[in-house]
Amino acid sequence: MKYLSLEKTKEKIAIITIDCPDGKVNKVSSGFLDEVATVMSDIKRSNDIIGLVIMSAKEDNFVVGAAIDEIENMRNSQEAVTYISKGHAILNELENMKIPVVACIHGNCLGGGLELALVCNYRLAVDAPQTVLGFPEVQLGLLPAAGGTQRLPALIGLTEALPMMLAARTLRAKQAKRAGLVDELIPPYGLKETGIKKALQLVKKGIPARKRNRSFMNFLLESNPVGRSIVFSRARKMITSQTYGCYPAPYAIIDAVEYGFKNGMAAGLKKEIELFGSLVMSPQSQSLRNLFFKMGALKKNPQKNLARRVGKLAVVGTGFMGQGIAAVSTSVCDTILMKDVSLDAAASGMKEIWKGLDKRSKSGAIVPFDRDMQYNKLVPCDNYSLFRNTDLVVEAVFEELSLKRRILADVEEATDERTIFASNTSAIPIKNIAQGCQRPQNVIGMHYFSPVPRMPLLEIITTDQTAPWVTATAVDMGIAQGKTCIVVKDGPGFYTTRILAPLLNETVLLLEEGAVPNDIDRAMRQFGFPVGPAALIDEVGIDVGAHVYEQLGPMFLERGITASESLGRLLAQGYKGKKNKKGIYRYDLKKKKGQKLPDEAVYAILGGRPRRKFEADLIRHRISLMMINEALTCLQEGIISCPRDGDIAAVFGLGFPPFQGGPFSYIDRVGPAKILALMEDMEKQQGQRFRPAQILKDTVKTGKKISAEK
């Protein structure tokens, strides 16, 4: 067999070991399911097997879910229904076997892997950081479709199960044990032997009765139809408030679970299959799956052979960004220098990193030994005397060109040609920072996003002089840090900040014209952005926004696009946004009906026009098209090398709606000709800033998709 191996012990216990070829992880595919069916048939025909153990041969995963590429190749809903029905039949048969079945879980047990474990009679889980259980399907616009929506709530209850399915919440081994998802925690050695022993015990004593610990309130809510209806109603309201109904998958999950509770397990399983078929063909799921494949492609370094290992890292500036960069490097590097103006400042940054490591240790993400070992890699310093033989220096000070140049000069004096200098600037061109330096070929940009440990994107910026090995090393470092890396060419704002600036500028122009901040944010949330742009200005910081316009203003002015000066005026009046609780919104007052209250004093600074109603579609078109057109211009100018990189950066760096797939995927889905018509209409109404990029016009002429460009 290709995916499984079967052995029998002298005690008459069968052991199925999963080991999918051509990959580091086990995935549920059609071939995998066929072999499971064959093995089960053999076991059922055998008269000398009294128990079954299922385990994985992989070091760090049990089964990570379905083979998404198979789902991607499905042409209609019926193909999806046929595929998942096959999985249902096999798992139902496994669940109904007359012998006890034990799952030995080590590493990731996700999606279809967890559904496989759920049909087993007993679940052993290795108590190690690598053991994680969950249902990530909602992130692909799907639902757990092999019985997960029915068996998980039945096992651990609605209040525990719904967050796992609706928010892709994962549980580590101890959490899973507390929730009742696994029956027993075991050490990370002797896995097979422990599984055999447990199977024999179940043969002799039978399957133990499970008692779920739950609060009195949860008991009241889950044990009767009225209480359950309250839970489902709250879940739907929460999803609507968070996503404005843009994603069908969470609602389908709730529908499947509720249907099962009302009509029984068998009916619930059929409903799950039906909903899966419709979700697979939904444009939202197609866009999310497309992003998944794009991210997968960027996990590989195309110039891996040129990359050099970063054993010694130095971070200059140990504030919030510097702390984050060091924190995601503690498992990657051997030594991390924490350089600041004083040892106290460096120690303060190290203290915050310790808090993060300790929190991860308490959650089970790492063991205490790894926490201590990673923290001990940090070395505080207030000068450059320790920088010799450093492989990579990341500068993370505030956005001041003269300061960055001075730091680069100091680093070059303390290091040699082996050392890469990377600036974590968000807008200043790297060539300006490198101007006059000794080794411009070693200078690169590494633009991290805040907060660094949570944000998945790393934008790597190269100049005409950056050496290929430097780029390759930066990409390798980013991948090791767990980032999805895009490489872009140098220029004001690079790609992400450059396409964000027109979006924010159009937001300010709407405010100047009399739009209400809440109306703007609501319209863009309905389009799919996780945060409205008016709120985003406060989150990013009005001072940061004013600085970005200062950097990018001349470039836009050359194209006839005048940047609003309102952010500068607000900054001059002491408005910095959420950081000093003076922004477009009030932060000293409670929300009203779930909405922040605008600071009406801002209106006078923005021009004093009375507030008026703007159509939601007009707001959406004005704001989204400014970002989309700038993304097209960046592709046209070669700032990004392909639409894929532009989509990934916009979604994971700036929050462009994932279900829209990114600006380029959005153009293809809506149609390039329709987007061009909207742009031309906006140009007539609003002026030159909406002039469509030439690449869009050329694409419409050829009749191709924008994703086919370059």
Side-chain angles (χ1 to χ4, degrees):
M1 290 185 290
K2 184 178 179 181
Y3 303 91
L4 309 174
S5 64
L6 175 65
E7 61 178 300
K8 302 174 186 177
T9 71
K10 61 182 180 181
E11 299 94 346
K12 299 182 180 181
I13 301 297
I15 302 166
I16 295 177
T17 303
I18 306 167
D19 192 5
C20 296
D22 306 321
K24 296 180 179 179
V25 298
N26 291 323
K27 299 178 184 178
V28 178
S29 62
S30 295
F32 173 88
L33 290 173
D34 287 339
E35 289 192 8
V36 172
T38 300
V39 169
M40 286 172 53
S41 179
D42 291 343
I43 292 173
K44 289 174 71 174
R45 285 199 304 267
S46 175
N47 295 321
D48 62 346
I49 293 178
I50 60 173
L52 173 62
V53 174
I54 301 175
M55 59 183 295
S56 167
K58 305 292 187 185
E59 291 185 2
D60 60 357
N61 68 92
F62 179 67
V63 178
V64 300
I68 306 302
D69 51 344
E70 283 197 358
I71 297 175
E72 193 67 13
N73 291 330
M74 293 173 184
R75 293 164 294 180
N76 52 57
S77 295
Q78 187 54 50
E79 286 189 11
V81 167
T82 301
Y83 166 83
I84 203 63
S85 296
K86 180 180 180 180
H88 268 254
I90 293 170
L91 290 181
N92 290 343
E93 188 175 353
L94 181 60
E95 185 177 40
N96 294 323
M97 290 190 76
K98 303 300 183 183
I99 59 175
V101 183
V102 177
C104 295
I105 302 167
H106 183 207
N108 288 328
C109 178
L110 305 172
L114 181 52
E115 286 170 314
L116 172 60
L118 283 172
V119 299
C120 298
N121 302 112
Y122 202 85
R123 285 164 291 280
L124 300 170
V126 171
D127 188 8
Q130 295 87 351
T131 302
V132 176
L133 300 89
F135 282 126
E137 285 87 347
V138 72
Q139 296 175 331
L140 297 176
L142 301 171
L143 51 66
T149 65
Q150 306 304 305
R151 294 187 177 100
L152 185 68
L155 181 66
I156 66 173
L158 281 176
T159 52
E160 287 282 354
L162 284 176
M164 288 186 67
M165 294 186 285
L166 296 176
R169 179 186 170 215
T170 57
L171 300 181
R172 298 194 179 277
K174 284 189 174 69
Q175 294 172 315
K177 176 66 169 63
R178 285 195 295 269
L181 184 53
V182 299
D183 298 292
E184 189 176 336
L185 300 180
I186 59 176
Y189 45 83
L191 188 60
K192 182 194 292 188
E193 293 75 13
T194 305
I196 294 169
K197 183 178 180 181
K198 179 53 65 175
L200 288 169
Q201 182 181 329
L202 296 179
V203 171
K204 294 177 182 177
K205 297 183 178 180
I207 309 300
R210 291 188 177 89
K211 290 185 178 180
R212 184 156 51 90
N213 293 323
R214 52 181 173 173
S215 68
F216 181 67
M217 181 58 70
N218 283 349
F219 172 77
L220 287 178
L221 287 173
E222 296 183 22
S223 61
N224 64 89
V226 175
R228 290 194 292 269
S229 69
I230 293 172
V231 173
F232 293 130
S233 175
R234 286 178 178 174
R236 289 189 177 95
K237 287 179 181 178
M238 179 196 71
I239 294 299
T240 302
S241 68
Q242 291 178 348
T243 69
Y244 280 79
C246 292
Y247 297 86
Y251 296 103
I253 290 169
I254 298 169
D255 289 346
V257 176
E258 186 174 29
Y259 195 87
F261 269 99
K262 287 181 177 179
N263 300 284
M265 172 76 76
L269 291 172
K270 288 182 180 179
K271 186 68 173 178
E272 182 183 89
I273 294 171
E274 172 195 327
L275 291 169
F276 177 76
S278 62
L279 287 175
V280 166
M281 293 298 121
S282 69
Q284 293 90 342
S285 180
Q286 290 172 350
S287 292
L288 292 168
R289 297 197 309 267
N290 195 18
L291 280 174
F292 173 81
F293 288 116
K294 289 175 180 178
M295 286 189 71
L298 289 170
K299 293 298 181 184
K300 298 177 182 177
N301 186 353
Q303 293 184 304
K304 177 78 175 177
N305 60 313
L306 297 178
R308 302 179 185 178
R309 182 177 181 274
V310 177
K312 186 177 181 181
L313 170 71
V315 178
V316 181
T318 61
F320 189 66
M321 290 300 293
Q323 294 163 20
I325 295 166
V328 297
S329 306
T330 55
S331 62
V332 178
C333 304
D334 303 324
T335 302
I336 302 172
L337 303 179
M338 301 286 289
K339 161 73 173 68
D340 217 310
V341 293
S342 69
L343 289 177
D344 284 345
S348 178
M350 290 172 60
K351 182 179 179 181
E352 294 303 313
I353 295 172
W354 168 260
K355 289 180 182 178
L357 287 169
D358 192 47
K359 184 177 180 180
R360 294 185 67 211
S361 174
K362 289 176 179 176
S363 74
I366 56 176
V367 297
F369 175 81
D370 287 334
R371 173 200 62 193
D372 298 343
M373 184 181 69
Q374 291 183 34
Y375 181 74
N376 287 334
K377 294 178 180 181
L378 303 174
V379 179
C381 54
D382 58 1
N383 59 59
Y384 296 94
S385 61
L386 300 177
F387 274 51
R388 185 179 178 185
N389 296 327
T390 300
D391 300 295
L392 172 65
V393 176
V394 181
E395 163 268 302
V397 301
F398 55 87
E399 297 281 86
E400 184 180 303
L401 178 59
S402 60
L403 175 60
K404 292 178 183 290
R405 282 178 174 170
R406 186 167 71 248
I407 291 171
L408 172 54
D410 290 340
V411 168
E412 287 191 320
E413 286 299 316
T415 60
D416 55 30
E417 64 278 354
R418 70 177 282 177
T419 302
I420 298 170
F421 180 88
S423 177
N424 178 48
T425 177
S426 61
I428 302 174
I430 303 302
K431 66 180 179 181
N432 292 0
I433 296 172
Q435 186 176 348
C437 73
Q438 298 176 37
R439 296 183 287 275
Q441 70 276 11
N442 286 27
V443 180
I444 198 167
M446 294 180 73
H447 176 203
Y448 293 86
F449 293 77
S450 179
V452 178
R454 287 171 49 195
M455 293 294 283
L457 187 72
L458 173 59
E459 185 179 28
I460 295 171
I461 307 103
T462 63
T463 71
D464 293 337
Q465 294 179 285
T466 304
W469 73 267
V470 171
T471 305
T473 302
V475 171
D476 227 45
M477 181 66 173
I479 292 172
Q481 291 170 328
K483 302 300 178 186
T484 298
C485 303
I486 64 159
V487 178
V488 305
K489 287 187 178 179
D490 194 23
F494 324 126
Y495 174 71
T496 52
T497 304
R498 178 168 163 179
I499 70 170
L500 179 64
L503 178 147
L504 298 181
N505 187 62
E506 198 64 26
T507 301
V508 174
L509 292 177
L510 280 163
L511 291 171
E512 290 175 355
E513 293 170 27
V516 177
N518 304 92
D519 292 345
I520 295 173
D521 285 346
R522 186 184 306 108
M524 297 313 294
R525 291 286 308 279
Q526 289 168 345
F527 182 73
F529 277 89
V531 179
L536 183 62
I537 291 172
D538 279 358
E539 293 282 349
V540 171
I542 291 170
D543 53 337
V544 175
H547 172 75
V548 167
Y549 286 139
E550 183 182 328
Q551 293 292 325
L552 274 63
M555 177 192 68
F556 287 126
L557 193 59
E558 289 176 7
R559 289 163 43 198
I561 302 174
T562 303
S564 169
E565 297 179 355
S566 288
L567 292 186
R569 292 198 297 270
L570 284 169
L571 181 61
Q573 294 291 324
Y575 285 84
K576 292 186 178 181
K578 194 173 181 180
K579 66 181 68 175
N580 74 338
K581 298 187 178 180
K582 284 193 68 177
I584 293 170
Y585 288 103
R586 296 284 297 268
Y587 295 94
D588 57 341
L589 299 176
K590 290 184 178 180
K591 293 180 180 180
K592 188 175 182 180
K593 294 182 179 179
Q595 288 192 333
K596 298 175 184 175
L597 298 176
D599 185 345
E600 297 189 5
V602 167
Y603 298 154
I605 303 172
L606 295 176
R609 291 190 183 183
R611 297 300 101 183
R612 62 190 179 94
K613 199 75 175 175
F614 283 73
E615 288 185 8
D617 279 346
L618 178 62
I619 293 172
R620 284 192 284 270
H621 288 152
R622 283 182 60 172
I623 292 177
S624 65
L625 289 176
M626 284 303 294
M627 172 182 265
I628 290 167
N629 199 46
E630 198 60 35
L632 286 163
T633 304
C634 286
L635 179 63
Q636 182 175 295
E637 294 178 0
I639 297 296
I640 52 174
S641 61
C642 59
R644 176 201 67 188
D645 291 1
D647 280 344
I648 288 291
V651 170
F652 294 103
L654 304 176
F656 192 94
F659 78 93
Q660 305 281 19
F664 298 100
S665 293
Y666 176 72
I667 292 170
D668 283 341
R669 188 164 68 80
V670 174
K674 186 172 181 180
I675 295 294
L676 177 61
L678 283 170
M679 290 290 301
E680 290 174 338
D681 186 48
M682 281 293 163
E683 185 182 9
K684 291 176 184 176
Q685 293 181 35
Q686 303 294 331
Q688 188 174 349
R689 69 183 183 278
F690 281 95
R691 180 171 296 168
Q694 186 62 42
I695 194 172
L696 178 60
K697 297 177 182 179
D698 294 342
T699 300
V700 172
K701 284 180 183 177
T702 63
K704 296 179 180 178
K705 291 186 175 183
I706 194 69
S707 56
E709 294 292 336
K710 301 196 177 186

